[in-house]
Amino acid sequence: MEIRGVWMTTTDSQVFRSKERINEAVAFLSETGFNVVFPVVWTKGLTLYPSRVLRETFGMEIDPLYQGRDPLAELIEAANSCGIAVIPWFEYGFASSYQSNGGMLLQKKPEWAAKDLSGNLLNKNGFEWMNALHPEVQDFLSKLILEVVQNYPIAGIQGDDRLPAFPREGGYDEFTRNLYRQSFQCDPPSNCQDSHWLQWRADLLTEFLSQLYQQVKGINPNLLVSLSPNIYPWCLNEYLQDSQTWLNRGLTDLMHPQIYRRDFQSYQRVVNQMVKSPGFSEQLPRISPGILIKLGKYRISPEYLLSAIDYNRACGLPGQVLFFYEGLREDNNALAKPLRSRYSSPVPFPTALELNQWVANQPHSQTNRQGSRWLDWLKSRF
């Protein structure tokens, strides 16, 4: 089993602008050897599919760029014909907008806004946030996800570094303050990094994930719940993403930590730390790292990418997901051509049942022995 995945975005990409472009992209991925694609379906407060939930809540059915179409359905049709699985990616999660003062969502639902200690709209790295701890906000996101689960023949759903997530600077809105007071008879600490305050909010996100996982499985137990947080424990300390607990509690079937390092040695160090971590080492068969291949002016080298794939296999990690599709196509498909040497033999993407059976048949000690042999070889090579 191997996860050979790639994210498809609307940023710096024209793939979703027509059905013809979608068909061409999927055919290219099939030829290159990929077995799963993660298309964005929730971004900048809008969907890439006709959404009853979005229409009933905000009066907008789909991103106007795609009015009259259903890019998600078009992608699924193309992917199914090529044997590629589709896992819709809810990119924005609990973020409402980017450098837009909350955008349409918070203009219409100001009571959903997250607040920092000063009472301002929560903004981190340019993203403005809804209150991820508010039950109405959680219900809205759950309904968005579940309507996709119910209406499309997909392999699973995916959250990322914004789902479930909440910047540590948030939680100072009146709703969350009152919730904390009810539990502890005092105001939340003004220090957003206070360990108890941080973990209390993280636990609320974990419970949201637990409910969502059960809801998805209740509709179709063979669907996968896939998550792509940042690196632990940074993701917990900055965005309240307790990914180690998520794995240990069985709240995710696949995890793709974003090991977005710009040289192989840095990537290797993070993988080594993860492999040795007690919270992650037992869960390695579920972990397929995210690899950054393009961002702004950065482009990964073919040598780095192939080395990372080799290293993942050596460590017992069952694959990787690449960010993002357009990086494969630049310079006359310069990255995709050598990648085909690693993806030459077709590998079908697993269902949740197949994945769980495979994981159950991977003794931890055997994985470590295999990894040790390969690690010795890799250390001599790099």
Side-chain angles (χ1 to χ4, degrees):
M1 187 195 82
E2 186 170 52
I3 308 302
R4 301 172 177 178
V6 64
W7 280 286
M8 277 190 174
T9 70
T10 53
T11 303
D12 295 334
S13 176
Q14 303 294 313
V15 169
F16 294 106
R17 293 301 181 92
S18 72
K19 184 174 182 179
E20 292 72 24
R21 288 180 175 179
I22 289 174
N23 291 340
E24 192 275 335
V26 171
F28 171 82
L29 291 176
S30 177
E31 293 167 3
T32 306
F34 287 88
N35 60 12
V36 60
V37 61
F38 299 85
V40 60
V41 294
W42 167 245
T43 182
K44 301 177 183 176
L46 295 166
T47 58
L48 269 74
Y49 65 92
S51 169
R52 177 186 58 81
V53 172
L54 190 65
R55 183 182 70 247
E56 292 178 352
T57 310
F58 292 101
M60 182 80 75
E61 185 176 66
I62 191 173
D63 186 326
L65 283 172
Y66 312 106
Q67 195 71 44
R69 294 177 51 217
D70 187 340
L72 176 57
E74 293 168 5
L75 179 67
I76 291 171
E77 180 183 7
N80 284 347
S81 67
C82 294
I84 294 178
V86 177
I87 297 182
W89 166 39
F90 292 80
E91 179 197 9
Y92 260 51
F94 288 115
S96 61
S97 57
Y98 181 73
Q99 295 183 347
S100 300
N101 196 35
M104 174 196 71
L105 302 185
L106 296 185
Q107 287 176 9
K108 296 194 175 184
K109 295 278 189 181
E111 67 277 16
W112 286 9
K115 299 294 180 67
D116 62 19
L117 182 62
S118 300
N120 299 319
L121 174 61
L122 182 60
N123 182 314
K124 187 158 183 166
N125 299 327
F127 289 92
E128 295 98 16
W129 285 74
M130 297 181 284
N131 182 7
L133 308 181
H134 196 294
E136 291 183 9
V137 177
Q138 293 185 352
D139 184 61
F140 170 69
L141 259 295
S142 295
K143 286 179 177 177
L144 272 184
I145 294 168
L146 295 177
E147 74 174 348
V148 171
V149 169
Q150 291 169 326
N151 296 332
Y152 294 90
I154 55 177
I157 58 96
Q158 184 178 70
D160 60 4
D161 52 351
R162 289 183 284 271
L163 180 68
F166 196 40
R168 69 183 185 186
E169 295 84 358
Y172 293 99
D173 60 282
E174 199 55 32
F175 172 84
T176 308
R177 285 178 180 272
N178 285 334
L179 192 63
Y180 188 86
R181 291 182 190 119
Q182 291 170 13
S183 298
F184 304 107
Q185 291 74 53
C186 63
D187 288 329
S190 58
N191 177 12
C192 68
Q193 301 178 66
D194 176 87
S195 59
H196 177 265
W197 169 228
L198 190 147
Q199 190 64 53
W200 180 79
R201 290 172 293 164
D203 289 345
L204 293 178
L205 287 183
T206 296
E207 289 313 307
F208 164 78
L209 175 61
S210 176
Q211 294 175 19
L212 179 63
Y213 187 89
Q214 293 173 36
Q215 290 170 321
V216 170
K217 298 294 184 174
I219 296 171
N220 185 347
N222 215 21
L223 293 183
L224 293 159
V225 174
S226 161
L227 298 174
S228 180
N230 214 298
I231 305 302
Y232 186 89
W234 191 91
C235 60
L236 172 61
N237 295 330
E238 292 290 334
Y239 285 93
L240 311 181
Q241 295 191 294
D242 196 352
S243 57
Q244 183 170 299
T245 295
W246 300 347
L247 282 167
N248 292 340
R249 286 184 55 182
L251 302 181
T252 177
D253 301 301
L254 286 174
M255 184 171 285
H256 314 292
Q258 297 176 16
I259 310 182
Y260 290 175
R261 301 300 185 265
R262 302 196 179 198
D263 63 88
F264 174 67
Q265 287 70 29
S266 298
Y267 178 89
Q268 187 181 35
R269 282 194 295 271
V270 175
V271 171
N272 289 346
Q273 292 167 4
M274 190 169 61
V275 168
K276 295 175 183 177
S277 169
F280 284 87
S281 59
E282 299 288 344
Q283 303 290 344
L284 290 185
R286 297 193 183 278
I287 298 175
S288 304
I291 299 177
L292 179 68
I293 65 171
K294 167 182 165 65
L295 185 65
K297 295 182 179 179
Y298 170 76
R299 305 292 182 273
I300 197 172
S301 69
E303 294 77 15
Y304 173 5
L305 178 58
L306 298 183
S307 296
I309 293 172
D310 289 343
Y311 206 72
N312 289 346
R313 290 172 174 175
C315 293
L317 299 168
Q320 50 280 319
V321 183
L322 309 185
F323 186 86
F324 59 101
Y325 168 79
E326 296 299 338
L328 299 169
R329 306 306 305 266
E330 295 189 340
D331 301 325
N332 192 29
N333 306 330
L335 199 60
K337 292 173 182 177
L339 185 60
R340 290 171 182 169
S341 68
R342 296 301 188 272
Y343 290 170
S344 57
S345 300
V347 175
F349 188 77
T351 65
L353 177 61
E354 291 167 341
L355 174 66
N356 289 332
Q357 289 175 340
W358 185 82
V359 170
N361 291 328
Q362 300 298 307
H364 179 56
S365 58
Q366 178 180 332
T367 301
N368 279 346
R369 287 197 299 272
Q370 175 188 5
S372 296
R373 292 196 299 271
W374 279 92
L375 285 171
D376 290 341
W377 173 76
L378 285 166
K379 287 175 181 177
S380 67
R381 179 183 176 191
F382 296 107

